[in-house]
Amino acid sequence: MSTTERPETPVRPDYAQYVVCAVMVVVGAFLLYDALSIPDGYAKVDPVGPRLFPIVIGAGLLVMAVILAIAIPRGSRGEADAGEDIDPDMPSDWRTVGLLVGLFILLIVLVQPLGWAIAGALFFAGCATVLGSKHYVRNIAIGAVLAVASFYAFYSGLGIPLPAGILDGIL
């Protein structure tokens, strides 16, 4: 070995990825526990039942957590996104994040008294406005369509009634 050559230093594993593994294990275990505690008898003709999807997702999370935990000490790292149109040197926009969190809290507070259709329309329109849309009337119209469509999708398609609020009897 010449004096100008340096031996390759081994790549140190990114130990912060173990936090991701831990979260995956916790969520996967919770899904499995919660799915197995669902009582039988929701639908007599449903061969799949309500347990299948949470069990599949929970087991998948546990398997992926094990695979990631094996890959981390081997130096496996994700590649940086080269195609993103972002400037990593720009500071975070905490104002936008705060406004979106505030809208979500407002949705939680207003969904019972106003109902999903009105609260959801305000939420969708507010999010579009916070994220930069200046077409306020169009934001409200699209928000109303999304809220009413999701109201009926949950009620008719899934059999899950969302709160109607002040529109009870109209929707």
Side-chain angles (χ1 to χ4, degrees), residues 18-37:
Y18 284 116
V19 174
V20 175
C21 288
V23 170
M24 290 170 65
V25 167
V26 168
V27 172
F30 172 76
L31 282 172
L32 286 175
Y33 170 77
D34 203 35
L36 294 173
S37 66

Side-chain angles (χ1 to χ4, degrees), residues 42-63:
Y42 278 101
K44 301 290 184 208
V45 296
D46 186 7
V48 175
R51 293 180 180 166
L52 177 69
F53 289 108
I55 289 174
V56 168
I57 293 170
L61 279 171
L62 293 176
V63 168

